PDB file of all heavy atoms in Angstrom:
ATOM      1  N   ASP A   1      -6.289  -3.330  10.038  1.00 92.00           N
ATOM      2  CA  ASP A   1      -7.139  -3.902  11.071  1.00 92.00           C
ATOM      3  C   ASP A   1      -8.422  -4.393  10.397  1.00 92.00           C
ATOM      4  O   ASP A   1      -8.518  -4.418   9.174  1.00 92.00           O
ATOM      5  CB  ASP A   1      -7.401  -2.896  12.196  1.00 92.00           C
ATOM      6  CG  ASP A   1      -8.090  -1.625  11.706  1.00 92.00           C
ATOM      7  OD1 ASP A   1      -8.805  -1.663  10.682  1.00 92.00           O
ATOM      8  OD2 ASP A   1      -7.918  -0.582  12.361  1.00 92.00           O
ATOM      9  N   ASN A   2      -9.426  -4.778  11.175  1.00 94.00           N
ATOM     10  CA  ASN A   2     -10.634  -5.346  10.591  1.00 94.00           C
ATOM     11  C   ASN A   2     -11.787  -4.354  10.458  1.00 94.00           C
ATOM     12  O   ASN A   2     -12.938  -4.756  10.310  1.00 94.00           O
ATOM     13  CB  ASN A   2     -11.087  -6.574  11.376  1.00 94.00           C
ATOM     14  CG  ASN A   2     -11.583  -6.232  12.768  1.00 94.00           C
ATOM     15  OD1 ASN A   2     -11.383  -5.124  13.266  1.00 94.00           O
ATOM     16  ND2 ASN A   2     -12.234  -7.187  13.406  1.00 94.00           N
ATOM     17  N   VAL A   3     -11.503  -3.064  10.493  1.00 92.00           N
ATOM     18  CA  VAL A   3     -12.544  -2.058  10.307  1.00 92.00           C
ATOM     19  C   VAL A   3     -12.797  -1.924   8.804  1.00 92.00           C
ATOM     20  O   VAL A   3     -11.879  -1.616   8.045  1.00 92.00           O
ATOM     21  CB  VAL A   3     -12.134  -0.702  10.924  1.00 92.00           C
ATOM     22  CG1 VAL A   3     -13.191   0.348  10.638  1.00 92.00           C
ATOM     23  CG2 VAL A   3     -11.896  -0.849  12.425  1.00 92.00           C
ATOM     24  N   GLY A   4     -14.010  -2.194   8.375  1.00 93.00           N
ATOM     25  CA  GLY A   4     -14.351  -2.152   6.956  1.00 93.00           C
ATOM     26  C   GLY A   4     -14.417  -3.545   6.366  1.00 93.00           C
ATOM     27  O   GLY A   4     -14.106  -4.545   7.021  1.00 93.00           O
ATOM     28  N   SER A   5     -14.801  -3.609   5.108  1.00 95.00           N
ATOM     29  CA  SER A   5     -14.973  -4.905   4.452  1.00 95.00           C
ATOM     30  C   SER A   5     -13.627  -5.526   4.086  1.00 95.00           C
ATOM     31  O   SER A   5     -12.613  -4.827   3.963  1.00 95.00           O
ATOM     32  CB  SER A   5     -15.817  -4.748   3.187  1.00 95.00           C
ATOM     33  OG  SER A   5     -15.062  -4.102   2.172  1.00 95.00           O
ATOM     34  N   ARG A   6     -13.635  -6.822   3.884  1.00 96.00           N
ATOM     35  CA  ARG A   6     -12.420  -7.539   3.505  1.00 96.00           C
ATOM     36  C   ARG A   6     -11.884  -7.010   2.182  1.00 96.00           C
ATOM     37  O   ARG A   6     -10.687  -6.743   2.046  1.00 96.00           O
ATOM     38  CB  ARG A   6     -12.704  -9.035   3.410  1.00 96.00           C
ATOM     39  CG  ARG A   6     -11.470  -9.847   3.071  1.00 96.00           C
ATOM     40  CD  ARG A   6     -11.763 -11.355   3.086  1.00 96.00           C
ATOM     41  NE  ARG A   6     -10.539 -12.101   2.925  1.00 96.00           N
ATOM     42  CZ  ARG A   6      -9.970 -12.352   1.751  1.00 96.00           C
ATOM     43  NH1 ARG A   6     -10.530 -11.914   0.640  1.00 96.00           N
ATOM     44  NH2 ARG A   6      -8.842 -13.031   1.677  1.00 96.00           N
ATOM     45  N   GLU A   7     -12.745  -6.854   1.194  1.00 96.00           N
ATOM     46  CA  GLU A   7     -12.320  -6.394  -0.127  1.00 96.00           C
ATOM     47  C   GLU A   7     -11.717  -4.998  -0.058  1.00 96.00           C
ATOM     48  O   GLU A   7     -10.691  -4.728  -0.675  1.00 96.00           O
ATOM     49  CB  GLU A   7     -13.499  -6.397  -1.112  1.00 96.00           C
ATOM     50  CG  GLU A   7     -14.049  -7.774  -1.428  1.00 96.00           C
ATOM     51  CD  GLU A   7     -14.923  -8.349  -0.314  1.00 96.00           C
ATOM     52  OE1 GLU A   7     -15.484  -7.567   0.501  1.00 96.00           O
ATOM     53  OE2 GLU A   7     -15.016  -9.587  -0.226  1.00 96.00           O
ATOM     54  N   TYR A   8     -12.356  -4.126   0.701  1.00 96.00           N
ATOM     55  CA  TYR A   8     -11.841  -2.758   0.817  1.00 96.00           C
ATOM     56  C   TYR A   8     -10.455  -2.756   1.464  1.00 96.00           C
ATOM     57  O   TYR A   8      -9.539  -2.068   1.011  1.00 96.00           O
ATOM     58  CB  TYR A   8     -12.803  -1.865   1.603  1.00 96.00           C
ATOM     59  CG  TYR A   8     -12.283  -0.453   1.660  1.00 96.00           C
ATOM     60  CD1 TYR A   8     -12.477   0.409   0.584  1.00 96.00           C
ATOM     61  CD2 TYR A   8     -11.545   0.000   2.745  1.00 96.00           C
ATOM     62  CE1 TYR A   8     -11.962   1.699   0.602  1.00 96.00           C
ATOM     63  CE2 TYR A   8     -11.024   1.282   2.767  1.00 96.00           C
ATOM     64  CZ  TYR A   8     -11.244   2.122   1.696  1.00 96.00           C
ATOM     65  OH  TYR A   8     -10.727   3.389   1.714  1.00 96.00           O
ATOM     66  N   ASN A   9     -10.296  -3.527   2.529  1.00 96.00           N
ATOM     67  CA  ASN A   9      -9.018  -3.555   3.235  1.00 96.00           C
ATOM     68  C   ASN A   9      -7.917  -4.218   2.409  1.00 96.00           C
ATOM     69  O   ASN A   9      -6.756  -3.828   2.515  1.00 96.00           O
ATOM     70  CB  ASN A   9      -9.171  -4.225   4.598  1.00 96.00           C
ATOM     71  CG  ASN A   9      -9.687  -3.256   5.634  1.00 96.00           C
ATOM     72  OD1 ASN A   9      -9.002  -2.329   6.015  1.00 96.00           O
ATOM     73  ND2 ASN A   9     -10.929  -3.452   6.064  1.00 96.00           N
ATOM     74  N   LEU A  10      -8.263  -5.194   1.586  1.00 97.00           N
ATOM     75  CA  LEU A  10      -7.266  -5.771   0.686  1.00 97.00           C
ATOM     76  C   LEU A  10      -6.755  -4.702  -0.278  1.00 97.00           C
ATOM     77  O   LEU A  10      -5.548  -4.584  -0.505  1.00 97.00           O
ATOM     78  CB  LEU A  10      -7.858  -6.948  -0.090  1.00 97.00           C
ATOM     79  CG  LEU A  10      -8.019  -8.250   0.693  1.00 97.00           C
ATOM     80  CD1 LEU A  10      -8.813  -9.271  -0.126  1.00 97.00           C
ATOM     81  CD2 LEU A  10      -6.661  -8.821   1.083  1.00 97.00           C
ATOM     82  N   ASP A  11      -7.667  -3.926  -0.836  1.00 97.00           N
ATOM     83  CA  ASP A  11      -7.275  -2.858  -1.760  1.00 97.00           C
ATOM     84  C   ASP A  11      -6.459  -1.780  -1.043  1.00 97.00           C
ATOM     85  O   ASP A  11      -5.422  -1.345  -1.545  1.00 97.00           O
ATOM     86  CB  ASP A  11      -8.520  -2.240  -2.402  1.00 97.00           C
ATOM     87  CG  ASP A  11      -8.165  -1.072  -3.316  1.00 97.00           C
ATOM     88  OD1 ASP A  11      -7.490  -1.296  -4.343  1.00 97.00           O
ATOM     89  OD2 ASP A  11      -8.552   0.075  -2.978  1.00 97.00           O
ATOM     90  N   LEU A  12      -6.911  -1.350   0.130  1.00 96.00           N
ATOM     91  CA  LEU A  12      -6.203  -0.313   0.886  1.00 96.00           C
ATOM     92  C   LEU A  12      -4.791  -0.775   1.252  1.00 96.00           C
ATOM     93  O   LEU A  12      -3.813  -0.030   1.091  1.00 96.00           O
ATOM     94  CB  LEU A  12      -6.980   0.048   2.155  1.00 96.00           C
ATOM     95  CG  LEU A  12      -6.347   1.095   3.070  1.00 96.00           C
ATOM     96  CD1 LEU A  12      -6.188   2.430   2.358  1.00 96.00           C
ATOM     97  CD2 LEU A  12      -7.186   1.252   4.343  1.00 96.00           C
ATOM     98  N   SER A  13      -4.652  -2.012   1.704  1.00 97.00           N
ATOM     99  CA  SER A  13      -3.327  -2.503   2.091  1.00 97.00           C
ATOM    100  C   SER A  13      -2.408  -2.625   0.873  1.00 97.00           C
ATOM    101  O   SER A  13      -1.209  -2.357   0.967  1.00 97.00           O
ATOM    102  CB  SER A  13      -3.443  -3.837   2.832  1.00 97.00           C
ATOM    103  OG  SER A  13      -4.032  -4.836   2.026  1.00 97.00           O
ATOM    104  N   GLN A  14      -2.958  -2.962  -0.279  1.00 98.00           N
ATOM    105  CA  GLN A  14      -2.167  -3.030  -1.510  1.00 98.00           C
ATOM    106  C   GLN A  14      -1.689  -1.630  -1.906  1.00 98.00           C
ATOM    107  O   GLN A  14      -0.521  -1.443  -2.268  1.00 98.00           O
ATOM    108  CB  GLN A  14      -2.998  -3.649  -2.641  1.00 98.00           C
ATOM    109  CG  GLN A  14      -2.265  -3.786  -3.949  1.00 98.00           C
ATOM    110  CD  GLN A  14      -1.262  -4.927  -3.972  1.00 98.00           C
ATOM    111  OE1 GLN A  14      -1.351  -5.859  -3.182  1.00 98.00           O
ATOM    112  NE2 GLN A  14      -0.307  -4.857  -4.876  1.00 98.00           N
ATOM    113  N   ARG A  15      -2.587  -0.641  -1.816  1.00 97.00           N
ATOM    114  CA  ARG A  15      -2.208   0.734  -2.164  1.00 97.00           C
ATOM    115  C   ARG A  15      -1.163   1.284  -1.206  1.00 97.00           C
ATOM    116  O   ARG A  15      -0.243   2.011  -1.616  1.00 97.00           O
ATOM    117  CB  ARG A  15      -3.446   1.639  -2.193  1.00 97.00           C
ATOM    118  CG  ARG A  15      -4.372   1.350  -3.356  1.00 97.00           C
ATOM    119  CD  ARG A  15      -5.535   2.325  -3.466  1.00 97.00           C
ATOM    120  NE  ARG A  15      -6.487   2.116  -2.387  1.00 97.00           N
ATOM    121  CZ  ARG A  15      -6.918   3.074  -1.556  1.00 97.00           C
ATOM    122  NH1 ARG A  15      -6.490   4.317  -1.677  1.00 97.00           N
ATOM    123  NH2 ARG A  15      -7.790   2.810  -0.599  1.00 97.00           N
ATOM    124  N   ARG A  16      -1.241   0.936   0.055  1.00 96.00           N
ATOM    125  CA  ARG A  16      -0.246   1.394   1.028  1.00 96.00           C
ATOM    126  C   ARG A  16       1.111   0.747   0.776  1.00 96.00           C
ATOM    127  O   ARG A  16       2.145   1.411   0.865  1.00 96.00           O
ATOM    128  CB  ARG A  16      -0.732   1.133   2.452  1.00 96.00           C
ATOM    129  CG  ARG A  16      -1.856   2.087   2.840  1.00 96.00           C
ATOM    130  CD  ARG A  16      -2.380   1.831   4.218  1.00 96.00           C
ATOM    131  NE  ARG A  16      -3.316   2.881   4.620  1.00 96.00           N
ATOM    132  CZ  ARG A  16      -3.938   2.918   5.789  1.00 96.00           C
ATOM    133  NH1 ARG A  16      -3.717   1.967   6.691  1.00 96.00           N
ATOM    134  NH2 ARG A  16      -4.762   3.903   6.071  1.00 96.00           N
ATOM    135  N   ALA A  17       1.126  -0.534   0.435  1.00 98.00           N
ATOM    136  CA  ALA A  17       2.381  -1.193   0.075  1.00 98.00           C
ATOM    137  C   ALA A  17       2.984  -0.527  -1.164  1.00 98.00           C
ATOM    138  O   ALA A  17       4.196  -0.312  -1.239  1.00 98.00           O
ATOM    139  CB  ALA A  17       2.145  -2.684  -0.159  1.00 98.00           C
ATOM    140  N   GLN A  18       2.137  -0.162  -2.120  1.00 97.00           N
ATOM    141  CA  GLN A  18       2.592   0.523  -3.335  1.00 97.00           C
ATOM    142  C   GLN A  18       3.213   1.879  -2.984  1.00 97.00           C
ATOM    143  O   GLN A  18       4.245   2.253  -3.541  1.00 97.00           O
ATOM    144  CB  GLN A  18       1.429   0.728  -4.299  1.00 97.00           C
ATOM    145  CG  GLN A  18       1.776   1.493  -5.564  1.00 97.00           C
ATOM    146  CD  GLN A  18       2.671   0.705  -6.500  1.00 97.00           C
ATOM    147  OE1 GLN A  18       2.374  -0.441  -6.802  1.00 97.00           O
ATOM    148  NE2 GLN A  18       3.760   1.312  -6.952  1.00 97.00           N
ATOM    149  N   THR A  19       2.615   2.585  -2.050  1.00 97.00           N
ATOM    150  CA  THR A  19       3.150   3.879  -1.630  1.00 97.00           C
ATOM    151  C   THR A  19       4.554   3.723  -1.059  1.00 97.00           C
ATOM    152  O   THR A  19       5.445   4.523  -1.352  1.00 97.00           O
ATOM    153  CB  THR A  19       2.212   4.537  -0.591  1.00 97.00           C
ATOM    154  OG1 THR A  19       0.947   4.782  -1.207  1.00 97.00           O
ATOM    155  CG2 THR A  19       2.777   5.831  -0.052  1.00 97.00           C
ATOM    156  N   VAL A  20       4.757   2.681  -0.249  1.00 98.00           N
ATOM    157  CA  VAL A  20       6.080   2.443   0.333  1.00 98.00           C
ATOM    158  C   VAL A  20       7.084   2.119  -0.778  1.00 98.00           C
ATOM    159  O   VAL A  20       8.193   2.658  -0.792  1.00 98.00           O
ATOM    160  CB  VAL A  20       6.021   1.319   1.390  1.00 98.00           C
ATOM    161  CG1 VAL A  20       7.419   0.919   1.852  1.00 98.00           C
ATOM    162  CG2 VAL A  20       5.180   1.772   2.583  1.00 98.00           C
ATOM    163  N   ARG A  21       6.693   1.263  -1.723  1.00 98.00           N
ATOM    164  CA  ARG A  21       7.609   0.946  -2.827  1.00 98.00           C
ATOM    165  C   ARG A  21       7.933   2.200  -3.640  1.00 98.00           C
ATOM    166  O   ARG A  21       9.082   2.421  -4.013  1.00 98.00           O
ATOM    167  CB  ARG A  21       7.035  -0.132  -3.739  1.00 98.00           C
ATOM    168  CG  ARG A  21       8.047  -0.497  -4.851  1.00 98.00           C
ATOM    169  CD  ARG A  21       7.653  -1.657  -5.679  1.00 98.00           C
ATOM    170  NE  ARG A  21       6.591  -1.275  -6.593  1.00 98.00           N
ATOM    171  CZ  ARG A  21       6.074  -2.102  -7.491  1.00 98.00           C
ATOM    172  NH1 ARG A  21       6.494  -3.351  -7.578  1.00 98.00           N
ATOM    173  NH2 ARG A  21       5.120  -1.695  -8.295  1.00 98.00           N
ATOM    174  N   ASP A  22       6.922   3.023  -3.909  1.00 97.00           N
ATOM    175  CA  ASP A  22       7.162   4.260  -4.660  1.00 97.00           C
ATOM    176  C   ASP A  22       8.144   5.161  -3.931  1.00 97.00           C
ATOM    177  O   ASP A  22       9.009   5.781  -4.551  1.00 97.00           O
ATOM    178  CB  ASP A  22       5.845   5.002  -4.912  1.00 97.00           C
ATOM    179  CG  ASP A  22       4.919   4.267  -5.873  1.00 97.00           C
ATOM    180  OD1 ASP A  22       5.370   3.302  -6.541  1.00 97.00           O
ATOM    181  OD2 ASP A  22       3.731   4.654  -5.944  1.00 97.00           O
ATOM    182  N   TYR A  23       8.023   5.256  -2.611  1.00 97.00           N
ATOM    183  CA  TYR A  23       8.933   6.074  -1.812  1.00 97.00           C
ATOM    184  C   TYR A  23      10.363   5.546  -1.945  1.00 97.00           C
ATOM    185  O   TYR A  23      11.294   6.303  -2.187  1.00 97.00           O
ATOM    186  CB  TYR A  23       8.498   6.078  -0.344  1.00 97.00           C
ATOM    187  CG  TYR A  23       9.326   6.992   0.529  1.00 97.00           C
ATOM    188  CD1 TYR A  23       8.903   8.285   0.796  1.00 97.00           C
ATOM    189  CD2 TYR A  23      10.530   6.566   1.085  1.00 97.00           C
ATOM    190  CE1 TYR A  23       9.665   9.137   1.591  1.00 97.00           C
ATOM    191  CE2 TYR A  23      11.292   7.408   1.878  1.00 97.00           C
ATOM    192  CZ  TYR A  23      10.853   8.688   2.129  1.00 97.00           C
ATOM    193  OH  TYR A  23      11.606   9.517   2.912  1.00 97.00           O
ATOM    194  N   LEU A  24      10.533   4.239  -1.775  1.00 98.00           N
ATOM    195  CA  LEU A  24      11.871   3.651  -1.875  1.00 98.00           C
ATOM    196  C   LEU A  24      12.448   3.846  -3.277  1.00 98.00           C
ATOM    197  O   LEU A  24      13.642   4.125  -3.433  1.00 98.00           O
ATOM    198  CB  LEU A  24      11.827   2.168  -1.516  1.00 98.00           C
ATOM    199  CG  LEU A  24      11.398   1.833  -0.072  1.00 98.00           C
ATOM    200  CD1 LEU A  24      11.298   0.332   0.120  1.00 98.00           C
ATOM    201  CD2 LEU A  24      12.314   2.449   0.952  1.00 98.00           C
ATOM    202  N   SER A  25      11.607   3.742  -4.284  1.00 97.00           N
ATOM    203  CA  SER A  25      12.053   3.942  -5.664  1.00 97.00           C
ATOM    204  C   SER A  25      12.543   5.366  -5.894  1.00 97.00           C
ATOM    205  O   SER A  25      13.492   5.583  -6.653  1.00 97.00           O
ATOM    206  CB  SER A  25      10.923   3.615  -6.640  1.00 97.00           C
ATOM    207  OG  SER A  25      10.609   2.241  -6.581  1.00 97.00           O
ATOM    208  N   LEU A  26      11.907   6.339  -5.230  1.00 96.00           N
ATOM    209  CA  LEU A  26      12.341   7.731  -5.348  1.00 96.00           C
ATOM    210  C   LEU A  26      13.790   7.915  -4.907  1.00 96.00           C
ATOM    211  O   LEU A  26      14.469   8.825  -5.356  1.00 96.00           O
ATOM    212  CB  LEU A  26      11.456   8.649  -4.503  1.00 96.00           C
ATOM    213  CG  LEU A  26      10.075   8.969  -5.041  1.00 96.00           C
ATOM    214  CD1 LEU A  26       9.273   9.739  -3.994  1.00 96.00           C
ATOM    215  CD2 LEU A  26      10.180   9.778  -6.321  1.00 96.00           C
ATOM    216  N   TYR A  27      14.246   7.049  -4.021  1.00 96.00           N
ATOM    217  CA  TYR A  27      15.603   7.143  -3.495  1.00 96.00           C
ATOM    218  C   TYR A  27      16.544   6.148  -4.161  1.00 96.00           C
ATOM    219  O   TYR A  27      17.582   5.790  -3.609  1.00 96.00           O
ATOM    220  CB  TYR A  27      15.592   6.988  -1.972  1.00 96.00           C
ATOM    221  CG  TYR A  27      15.006   8.210  -1.316  1.00 96.00           C
ATOM    222  CD1 TYR A  27      13.637   8.317  -1.106  1.00 96.00           C
ATOM    223  CD2 TYR A  27      15.814   9.289  -0.978  1.00 96.00           C
ATOM    224  CE1 TYR A  27      13.087   9.468  -0.553  1.00 96.00           C
ATOM    225  CE2 TYR A  27      15.277  10.433  -0.414  1.00 96.00           C
ATOM    226  CZ  TYR A  27      13.913  10.515  -0.210  1.00 96.00           C
ATOM    227  OH  TYR A  27      13.372  11.650   0.338  1.00 96.00           O
ATOM    228  N   GLY A  28      16.179   5.701  -5.360  1.00 97.00           N
ATOM    229  CA  GLY A  28      17.080   4.909  -6.169  1.00 97.00           C
ATOM    230  C   GLY A  28      17.024   3.412  -5.969  1.00 97.00           C
ATOM    231  O   GLY A  28      17.869   2.686  -6.498  1.00 97.00           O
ATOM    232  N   ILE A  29      16.060   2.917  -5.212  1.00 98.00           N
ATOM    233  CA  ILE A  29      15.944   1.477  -5.028  1.00 98.00           C
ATOM    234  C   ILE A  29      15.201   0.908  -6.237  1.00 98.00           C
ATOM    235  O   ILE A  29      14.089   1.334  -6.549  1.00 98.00           O
ATOM    236  CB  ILE A  29      15.198   1.122  -3.718  1.00 98.00           C
ATOM    237  CG1 ILE A  29      15.835   1.834  -2.512  1.00 98.00           C
ATOM    238  CG2 ILE A  29      15.151  -0.385  -3.523  1.00 98.00           C
ATOM    239  CD1 ILE A  29      17.309   1.580  -2.308  1.00 98.00           C
ATOM    240  N   ASP A  30      15.822  -0.050  -6.925  1.00 98.00           N
ATOM    241  CA  ASP A  30      15.248  -0.650  -8.122  1.00 98.00           C
ATOM    242  C   ASP A  30      13.949  -1.383  -7.754  1.00 98.00           C
ATOM    243  O   ASP A  30      13.953  -2.271  -6.895  1.00 98.00           O
ATOM    244  CB  ASP A  30      16.260  -1.619  -8.724  1.00 98.00           C
ATOM    245  CG  ASP A  30      15.818  -2.191 -10.058  1.00 98.00           C
ATOM    246  OD1 ASP A  30      14.634  -2.068 -10.424  1.00 98.00           O
ATOM    247  OD2 ASP A  30      16.675  -2.780 -10.729  1.00 98.00           O
TER     248      ASP A  30
END
């Protein structure tokens, strides 16, 4: 959402996407 600065939210959304990829990788997804 738009709570916080643009730069902060770009970083937070990138880290959250990374968390999802890491989770999928744990279950064998390349």
